Amino acid sequence: MSTTPPVLAAELAQAWADIQRYHPELPDLAAPESLIGESSSACGAELSFERLLHEAVHGIAAARGVRDTSRAGRYHNRRFLAIAEEMGLDHSEEPHASSGFSLVSLNPEAKRRYRPTMERLQRALKAHTAATAADTKRSFRGPAARHGSSGGGVRVKAVCDCGRNVRVVPSVLAQAPIVCGGCMKPFRIPEVAVSAAAS
């Protein structure tokens, strides 16, 4: 199995398609590669099938026109929880004070349903992690890479119309749009941030 990010993106897209088989109203995943990274969602959870299903809940909420979060996408409300439960995710505790019902987990039925998908995605994630670790050990990628900056620049806040935000290097965002899973619109860097980054 190849361990390049495009192959992992393809595995993510296939896992998303598997979810769509059970939930046809789920929109297509615009940019699977945007999920490759541990902090690309408001919850900051590590990438996994459970996390992918969590993002799919946001996708269905967007398709239905349901506002499932508040506080700039951090607080996951009861509307989020209702859709999550439809999709095989449970939340057994009281809502968290700052993230609400974001910490959902697969119920037994969903684990059975998606077992082959989870196993396939887990293999791809392990291979990607191993390849990334080996690449870091064997090659010099410059000071920006060593300090966690992708694209060799300062990260700024990019926002979307629904209020969610991500930290991104402007040159990376300029290469291609990064689409919000909540509202399906591209993230953009506010003019104030662009001016500050340029100075």
Side-chain angles (χ1 to χ4, degrees):
M1 175 192 294
S2 172
T3 55
T4 58
V7 171
L8 179 53
E11 291 290 352
L12 286 165
Q14 182 57 54
W16 193 265
D18 291 350
I19 299 168
Q20 285 177 311
R21 279 205 318 261
Y22 295 99
H23 304 281
E25 68 183 306
L26 178 63
D28 291 339
L29 183 59
E33 61 277 6
S34 69
L35 295 173
I36 303 171
E38 293 184 8
S39 60
S40 60
S41 83
C43 5
E46 187 174 334
L47 186 57
S48 65
F49 180 76
E50 199 164 76
R51 154 97 184 281
L52 192 65
L53 198 57
H54 174 124
E55 294 301 325
V57 173
H58 292 303
I60 286 185
R64 293 178 181 175
V66 171
R67 187 175 174 123
D68 62 341
T69 63
S70 58
R71 301 180 197 166
R74 288 185 305 275
Y75 190 87
H76 294 59
N77 60 34
R78 290 190 184 278
R79 291 183 291 275
F80 169 86
L81 180 59
I83 297 171
E85 288 173 344
E86 284 178 40
M87 297 182 71
L89 292 165
D90 289 334
H91 188 282
S92 58
E93 302 172 6
E94 289 299 308
H96 186 272
S98 62
S99 62
F101 296 98
S102 71
L103 299 176
V104 288
S105 58
L106 286 161
N107 68 26
E109 181 184 342
K111 285 180 183 175
R112 282 191 299 276
R113 174 186 297 166
Y114 293 114
R115 178 169 283 117
T117 302
M118 290 190 291
E119 289 172 353
R120 194 178 63 239
L121 183 59
Q122 191 59 36
R123 283 193 301 271
L125 286 165
K126 281 183 181 176
H128 174 71
T129 300
T132 304
D135 179 49
T136 302
K137 289 175 187 170
R138 287 195 309 248
S139 60
F140 177 74
R141 295 166 57 190
R146 290 198 314 275
H147 295 292
S149 173
S150 94
V154 176
R155 293 175 190 250
V156 297
K157 183 165 77 169
V159 298
C160 70
D161 290 345
C162 70
R164 298 178 84 199
N165 64 73
V166 293
R167 291 274 174 190
V168 65
V169 177
S171 62
V172 171
L173 192 58
Q175 293 171 13
I178 297 174
V179 178
C180 172
C183 68
M184 305 312 286
K185 294 193 178 164
F187 284 97
R188 57 186 164 62
I189 299 172
E191 293 300 321
V192 176
V194 172
S195 303
S199 58

